[in-house]
Structure formats: C-alpha cells, structure tokens
Amino acid sequence: MIASVRGVVTAILPDSAVVEVGGVGMRVFCAPNTLAGVRTGAEARLATTLIVREDSLTLYGFADDDERQLFELLLTANGVGPRIAQAVLAVHQPDAVRRAIGGGDIAALTQVPGIGKRGAEKMIVELKDKIGPVGFGDGGSAGVLNGAWQEQVRQGVLALGWSATQADQAVAAIGETIDGEVPPVPVLLRQAIRLLGKTR
C-alpha cells in the first residue's frame, strides 16, 4: 500500500494533483479543500490510500493521516465508495464527521452531495461504534493563501458536481459575508457547499 507521497506538484487538475516522486508523476485524486493547500512547482506531502479494482489502481490523497484514516473507515460502510467518502471530507472536518456519526446527526451528513437520509442513517448505524474519540471545536483549517480564493472555491464547487452558475452564486454570496481578513480556502469551500446544499 502507498501510505503517502512527497514530491514537487507538477500539475493541479479540478479533481487531482500530479506529484512527481522519483521521476514518476503520480496522479492523486483529492478533495477540493486538499487541492487548495498545494501549489504547482512547490513540494507537497499527501497522505494516500490506494484503491485497487480489477481495471484500475487509483490513488486518493489527503492533507494529513487523520483524514486518510477517516476516509478508510468511511469506506467500510455499505454503499460508501471513494467518491462519497471524499465528498464527506470536502464538506466536513474529520472531527465534525466523527461528531455527526457519533451523535447521530443526520442533517450534517445529508449536507454531503450523494448522501440522502437513508444513506446517512445506515452510515451512523454501521460506523457509530467504530468512529473513535470525538473532538470538540470547529476544526478550521489554516495555512492557505487568500489571494485567489474566489477561483479556488469556484473550482472546488465545480469538482463536486455543481454547475458554473451555482458556483458563481456561492462565491458571490460568500464574498458578501467576508468582512476583513479572508478565512482559509477550505473553510470558505465548506461554507459554499453548505449554502448550495440548502438550495437542492
């Protein structure tokens, strides 16, 4: 299993980054908030999970080992594939996911694109006893450049399946709420997803 990759980021795509490791460019599929924390031409370390299928080997990347471990746990629930598990981590921080599952918070889980009420209920039943210690606090991410947050948030929303019009509306709505210092892009992206989730 490939547990992590470290190298120079040679390309950033809407759903993945290419990291050069020992002369080999590895395409790592990442949630938008993870992609927001890497830069083309800069070195990055991503925790990874390799998903092996009959016809493919797919590498999924995460900002840290905690996200990767939670991703792997989510995959143990019936009906949860890599895309859904990654979407969960795009919408919520790991501790927020643990709180939602541990506390039976169906509303929080159904904010994730692709998870309905029945899916959330199944996830809670299957994972509640496996989820581990639940942290408290809002778990905001830091360390992301604020310069082009609008485009980063827009690309993140598009990568999760919303339309360009919806992405533009979410960016505009978030822009109106910012007064002073701009929060980190992952925080803004989660805000956009929550806004769009209410309009579904």
Side-chain angles (χ1 to χ4, degrees), residues 171-186:
V171 168
I174 291 169
E176 290 174 7
T177 68
I178 294 173
D179 183 20
E181 188 177 340
V182 179
V185 169

Side-chain angles (χ1 to χ4, degrees), residues 175-197:
E176 290 174 7
T177 68
I178 294 173
D179 183 20
E181 188 177 340
V182 179
V185 169
V187 173
L188 295 173
L189 182 58
R190 288 187 178 92
Q191 190 179 340
I193 292 166
R194 288 189 189 106
L195 282 171
L196 291 167

Side-chain angles (χ1 to χ4, degrees), residues 28-31 34 46-49 59-64 67-68 86:
V28 186
F29 288 85
C30 303
T34 302
L46 295 171
T48 56
T49 294
L59 203 56
Y60 290 87
F62 311 92
D64 56 40
E67 282 192 6
R68 182 194 66 212
Q86 201 168 51

